[in-house]
Amino acid sequence: AYHGFGAAPEQAILVSAALACPLLHAVTAIALGAGARRVWPDMPLAPYFALLALLGNGVLNAYSVFGRADHHTMIACFAAIGFAGAVKAAAEPWRGGAAFGAGLAFGAGIWVGPEVPLVALPACAAFGLVWALAPDGRAFARQGLRLALGMAAILAVATMLERPAAEWLATEYDKASLHHVVLALIVAAVFAGTLPVSAPPRGWRLAAGAILGGLG
C-alpha cells in the first residue's frame, strides 16, 4: 500500500519490515486476550491481565520495537494463536476446526523456531489429561488428534519447501525437518490409539494412556 502511494519499492520494503514486529506483537496480545477470556469467562478483566503479562516481558518487548525485524516476535505470535485455538478447542470440543487451526499455528511456529514445542506439546498433553478424566473422553481425543495432524501437515509442507527432495529425510532439531513431522505424527498416533478406549473406567483409561504414551 505504501508503494502504491508513490514510495520507492526499497523504501516500502524497509517500512514494512520496520512495522512487522509491532504488528505481530499486537496480534499476540489479541490472541492471548482471547485465550484468557475463554479460560476465565467470568472474569471481565482476564484479557487485560494477559495483556499486562505480555507487556511485562521485557525481552519480547525489546524484540518487538518499531524498526526491528526479529523472528522471536513471530514465534511468540504463532505460539499465542495456537494457545488460543487450543483453549477454544477444549472449551468447545465439537469444533474440530479450532483444534486443527491450533495445530497449524503451532506447526508454523516450529517452522520459524524450535522453541514452540515448549508450548505445543503441553497443549497436546492437556488434551490427553482431559481425555483420561472426562466421563467420555472421545471428543477430547479427537481434538488432540486434529491438533497433532495440523502440526504434522504444516511441518511436512515446511520440510518440503525448505529442502530439496534429496534432503527430505534429513533430521535437524533447530530447523523444520522430518524429526518434527514424525514427532507430530507420533502424538497423532497416540491420540488415535486412545479413541477405542475412551469410555472405560478412568483407571483403565489412565493405564491405556500410560502405555500408549510410553510407546510413543
Side-chain angles (χ1 to χ4, degrees), residues 16-200:
S16 299
L19 287 170
C21 279
L23 290 175
L24 288 171
H25 203 204
V27 174
T28 303
I30 293 169
L32 288 178
R37 186 185 298 277
R38 287 190 176 274
V39 173
W40 296 287
D42 298 326
M43 290 180 59
L45 294 178
Y48 300 100
F49 288 131
L51 177 61
L52 285 174
L54 177 66
L55 295 179
N57 188 323
V59 174
L60 186 59
N61 292 339
Y63 288 145
S64 305
V65 296
F66 176 82
R68 180 168 181 170
D70 197 298
H71 74 290
H72 289 95
T73 304
M74 185 176 287
I75 290 173
C77 184
F78 279 128
I81 293 171
F83 161 75
V87 170
K88 182 175 182 178
E92 302 174 1
W94 60 89
R95 291 187 179 274
F100 191 75
L104 291 177
F106 284 141
I110 296 170
W111 188 355
V112 177
E115 299 93 336
V116 175
L118 295 172
V119 180
L121 294 180
C124 293
F127 280 104
L129 183 62
V130 178
W131 163 81
L133 298 178
D136 187 335
R138 276 173 290 196
F140 299 102
R142 291 191 190 98
Q143 293 293 67
L145 175 60
R146 291 168 181 136
L147 193 156
L149 288 176
M151 288 175 53
I154 196 72
L155 288 168
V157 171
T159 300
M160 290 187 288
L161 291 177
E162 290 278 353
R163 304 167 181 276
E167 296 181 11
W168 283 355
L169 298 182
T171 296
E172 289 185 59
Y173 294 99
D174 60 347
K175 184 179 180 181
S177 70
L178 182 66
H179 161 76
H180 299 97
V181 179
V182 171
L183 178 62
L185 289 176
I186 288 173
V187 175
V190 170
F191 277 113
T194 62
L195 283 170
V197 289
S198 294

Side-chain angles (χ1 to χ4, degrees), residues 1-20 66:
Y2 187 52
H3 176 52
F5 283 106
E10 297 84 356
Q11 186 178 9
I13 291 171
L14 285 173
V15 171
S16 299
L19 287 170
F66 176 82

